Amino acid sequence: MGNDFVDKSRILLVEDEETLGLGLEFNLTEEGYEVIWAKNGKEAAQFIRSAEFDLIILDIMVPYLDGFEIAKIARREYPRIPILILSARAGVKDRIRGLELGADDYLTKPFHLQELLLRVAGMLKRKAWYKDTADQNPVFKFGRNEIDFRDFSCVADRRQFQLTFHEAMVLKYLIDHRNTIVSRKDLLENVWNTSSEIETRTIDNFIMRLRKYFEPDPAQPVYIKSVRSVGYIFSTSEDE
């Protein structure tokens, strides 16, 4: 299976199930990736702090530190790194919690190997897109807000904080397509690379959070506006 984004991309696999871990390690290596396999949360944290990776495949239920804790550590060390969560739990709350911690995608066990390989390739492709677009236009200012898309740092009305990876990607996509209606389907396909796994209300939750960060009055948005039954449009007074 050819992949322009492999180029010996280094993947951290965090999985305590021996049979599944061996299978994933073998097949990912066959695809041309370099795979480092951590069998528990402590090992994963040590690898994250001592080496650089292009992507993390992360089982939620691993010993010592669970996947949610590992995701937090990974986001602190590498704000841009894509994270694919694996879980035997299919609950919506777990998916949303993972996304809010900055995970990029979520696969429920059991899954098809081909689907995982396609998602890994898509995530590396989106990482390359984000790096290119963030490096070309790293800082964006509107109103009393300023965002640095290289490290997700923000200043909003003199408050300093940091976006999660997905919050930054949603905002970057809206800004790159400003003055154009962006549908929820557009965001699902281009930010999450999916059309069904993540519910549309998850998109709405991300938009609500961005409004709380950047709108003078989130209930009456002036930058990220809703287009009824269609999606959203980003615009500023400078665009008018």
Side-chain angles (χ1 to χ4, degrees):
M1 182 176 168
N3 189 336
D4 293 338
F5 293 92
V6 171
D7 191 26
K8 272 298 178 185
S9 293
R10 181 183 254 196
I11 295 175
L12 175 61
L13 171 64
V14 185
E15 175 57 66
D16 65 325
E17 291 182 36
E18 191 77 16
T19 302
L20 179 58
L22 282 169
L24 290 176
E25 182 185 42
F26 174 80
N27 284 283
L28 289 164
T29 301
E30 285 291 294
E31 290 292 301
Y33 302 110
E34 179 184 351
V35 181
I36 307 297
W37 180 12
K39 299 180 181 180
N40 61 60
K42 284 184 180 178
E43 282 186 3
Q46 290 170 354
F47 282 129
I48 289 168
R49 289 172 176 139
S50 63
E52 289 192 23
F53 296 93
D54 298 292
L55 182 142
I56 300 175
I57 299 175
L58 178 59
D59 187 356
I60 287 180
M61 302 298 290
V62 289
Y64 303 121
L65 296 173
D66 68 19
F68 295 124
E69 288 299 317
I70 296 301
K72 288 180 186 177
I73 294 169
R75 277 287 164 257
R76 284 198 300 267
E77 297 290 328
Y78 306 107
R80 288 190 193 178
I81 193 168
I83 300 173
L84 171 60
I85 283 182
L86 306 179
S87 178
R89 302 188 302 200
V92 172
K93 287 184 179 179
D94 282 333
R95 290 208 302 272
I96 292 175
R97 184 183 176 194
L99 293 171
E100 288 179 343
L101 288 173
D104 299 83
D105 210 343
Y106 199 107
L107 263 182
T108 303
K109 297 178 182 180
F111 52 82
H112 293 291
L113 174 65
Q114 192 65 23
E115 182 178 7
L116 179 138
L117 295 176
L118 287 171
R119 293 202 187 193
V120 165
M123 290 166 73
L124 289 170
K125 182 177 180 180
R126 291 198 306 284
K127 180 189 176 190
W129 161 78
Y130 185 89
K131 183 180 186 303
D132 288 344
T133 189
D135 288 347
Q136 289 169 14
N137 300 290
V139 177
F140 188 80
K141 299 178 182 179
F142 62 101
R144 302 178 71 177
N145 307 304
E146 180 176 321
I147 302 99
D148 188 330
F149 285 103
R150 292 166 296 191
D151 61 6
F152 313 139
S153 61
C154 303
V155 178
D157 198 18
R158 299 184 181 178
R159 291 178 298 110
Q160 295 186 350
F161 58 96
Q162 206 164 22
L163 297 176
T164 68
F165 183 66
H166 259 103
E167 288 169 348
M169 285 189 75
V170 170
L171 184 59
K172 192 74 172 72
Y173 193 85
L174 291 171
I175 289 171
D176 286 352
H177 297 82
R178 59 184 174 275
N179 301 318
T180 303
I181 295 173
V182 174
S183 69
R184 293 175 180 83
K185 183 173 181 287
D186 291 333
L187 290 170
L188 284 169
E189 291 181 350
N190 291 287
V191 175
W192 278 279
N193 195 36
T194 184
S195 57
S196 59
E197 188 78 5
I198 300 166
E199 299 180 10
T200 55
R201 68 177 180 177
T202 303
I203 300 292
D204 296 335
N205 287 337
F206 272 81
I207 296 295
M208 284 173 59
R209 293 214 302 271
L210 291 174
R211 285 173 172 164
K212 286 180 182 177
Y213 297 151
F214 302 115
E215 296 283 1
D217 178 2
Q220 299 291 329
V222 295
Y223 302 121
I224 306 172
K225 300 175 184 175
S226 297
V227 180
R228 190 174 179 82
S229 302
V230 181
Y232 301 97
I233 186 167
F234 180 92
S235 64
T236 71
S237 57
E238 290 86 352
D239 297 324
E240 296 172 357

